[in-house]
Amino acid sequence: MVKAALRLCAWLCIMALMAASWTPGQEMIRTGFNTRLEHVCAYLFATIAISIAYPRLHPILLSVSMVAYAAILEAGQLFVAGRHAGVFDWIASSTGAVCGFCSVSLARNRS
C-alpha cells in the first residue's frame, strides 16, 4: 500500500511539472519567489519523490531522464500562449534534478 502511494506521488509530481510548464501565461499562479528558484525546487522535490518511489532506479539514469524531461517541457512552452522557452530556465530545472540526485545518493550512502 505504501509503495503504491509513493509511486502515485511520484507520477503526480511528473504530471505537475508538465501542468506547470504548459499552463498558458495568463493562467499561471506564481509563488512570489524567483522563477528560477521555483524551477530548482520543483525538480529537486520531484527527483527525490521519484527516487523514493523507485529505489531500484539508478540515480544517474533518473537524473539524466529528468534533465531531458526538463528540456522537453521547456521546448514545449514555445507552443503555449503567453509562454517562452528559456535556456536559463532549463538550467535551473536541471540543477534541481541534479541536486535531487546528489541528495538521494548521499542519503543512500549513509544508510
Side-chain angles (χ1 to χ4, degrees), residues 105-111:
S105 294
L106 287 172
R108 286 182 180 166
N109 286 339
R110 287 189 173 193
S111 57

Side-chain angles (χ1 to χ4, degrees), residues 9-26:
C9 179
W11 283 103
L12 288 174
C13 285
I14 291 169
M15 290 187 288
L17 290 173
M18 184 177 66
S21 296
W22 291 351
T23 298
Q26 64 274 15

Side-chain angles (χ1 to χ4, degrees), residues 50-105:
I50 296 165
S51 295
I52 293 169
Y54 294 92
R56 292 186 182 181
L57 183 62
H58 196 283
I60 293 176
L61 176 62
L62 173 60
S63 184
V64 169
S65 298
M66 291 300 286
V67 167
Y69 187 56
I72 291 166
L73 294 180
E74 200 63 38
Q77 289 181 9
L78 294 170
F79 305 102
V80 178
R83 300 298 298 269
H84 64 282
V87 172
F88 290 116
D89 290 341
W90 171 72
I91 290 171
S93 300
S94 298
T95 300
V98 171
C99 288
F101 155 75
C102 292
S103 300
V104 169
S105 294

